[in-house]
Amino acid sequence: MRLFLKSTLFFIAAVFVLSANANAEENAVKSPEELWFTIKSAYMKIYCENTVDLKTIGYKISNRGLFVNRVYDPNPVGAPAEKIAYMLDRLLKRTKDILGMWPENFNLEIKIFKDRDQLNGEYSRIFGTKPDYKAFYIYKYNTIYTSEEDISGSIVAHEMGHAVVDHYFSAIPPAQVREVLAQYVDLHLEGE
């Protein structure tokens, strides 16, 4: 009987401890690393917020004519993360080719938020102002920021244009020149 009582008390205490730990884990603030996952491609790291839908992102990127018209074949591998890595690598290569600029030791990062509010919250956190952007590029961090809500092949290629131009020259060109070159990339993405 004593053994039964001790076993029962031990069992109740164990359930209580496990339950308390489970509740603590649910209520714990997640670290930034737990809120994001990384996709690595040949030329960049793509950080995605855990709530983004990779199929949606892949669809929005692949709608650009160079993928639809088979300028670039779709990635033969079926996983959405691998398709996204493939398409973004192709966009970066095409951007460099259009500009005729191939910066040395150039590695890019892309950070994809779930929606525009979160994207603009990040901009506000970095710069202290409240914008309404679909995407932006920050040279200091060598990172393109966008969201699942707004991502497209055009937007990414435009921001890649900024990144390539900024890293090609020994001095960063004036803002107007960078903007014209980034627009040039988007306009000529499917052309020869």
Side-chain angles (χ1 to χ4, degrees):
M1 181 73 156
R2 277 188 153 192
L3 183 60
F4 176 75
L5 185 58
K6 284 183 180 181
S7 298
T8 303
L9 288 174
F10 177 77
F11 177 75
I12 291 171
V15 168
F16 178 75
V17 169
L18 291 174
S19 176
N21 285 342
N23 287 335
E25 287 177 16
E26 281 180 20
N27 295 328
V29 175
K30 292 188 176 189
S31 70
E33 295 80 27
E34 292 175 300
L35 299 174
W36 296 85
F37 63 92
T38 305
I39 302 169
K40 293 182 181 178
S41 77
Y43 306 113
M44 66 193 82
K45 285 184 184 175
I46 305 132
Y47 299 95
C48 299
E49 191 175 27
N50 277 341
T51 59
V52 301
D53 179 16
L54 293 180
K55 288 183 181 179
T56 299
I57 291 170
Y59 175 76
K60 288 182 168 188
I61 295 170
S62 69
N63 273 344
R64 189 63 202 228
L66 70 150
F67 297 110
V68 174
N69 298 330
R70 303 265 189 225
V71 172
Y72 290 123
D73 289 329
N75 184 2
V77 180
E82 292 170 347
K83 286 184 177 185
I84 289 168
Y86 171 84
M87 288 186 287
L88 291 175
D89 278 350
R90 295 299 148 288
L91 282 174
L92 183 58
K93 181 183 181 315
R94 182 71 181 136
T95 298
K96 291 176 182 179
D97 289 346
I98 290 168
L99 292 171
M101 298 177 187
W102 300 273
E104 292 182 29
N105 303 318
F106 178 66
N107 293 304
L108 187 60
E109 294 185 355
I110 298 178
K111 199 168 186 182
I112 304 172
F113 291 84
K114 180 66 176 174
D115 59 40
R116 191 182 303 175
D117 286 341
Q118 292 170 332
L119 169 71
N120 287 306
E122 180 75 354
Y123 188 94
S124 180
R125 186 189 66 74
I126 295 168
F127 294 108
T129 61
K130 295 188 182 235
D132 186 25
Y133 293 137
K134 291 181 178 182
F136 56 92
Y137 168 73
I138 300 177
Y139 173 78
K140 178 180 175 180
Y141 303 123
N142 197 31
T143 302
I144 293 171
Y145 299 80
T146 190
S147 69
E148 175 189 328
E149 180 179 339
D150 293 308
I151 197 166
S152 71
S154 295
I155 285 173
V156 173
H158 178 95
E159 298 304 329
M160 285 177 173
H162 284 295
V164 169
V165 168
D166 287 0
H167 284 84
Y168 183 73
F169 295 102
S170 57
I172 298 174
Q176 298 88 343
V177 172
R178 294 190 321 259
E179 189 59 32
V180 167
L181 290 172
Q183 290 175 6
Y184 182 82
V185 169
D186 185 35
L187 290 172
H188 293 86
L189 214 48
E190 282 86 22
E192 291 300 317

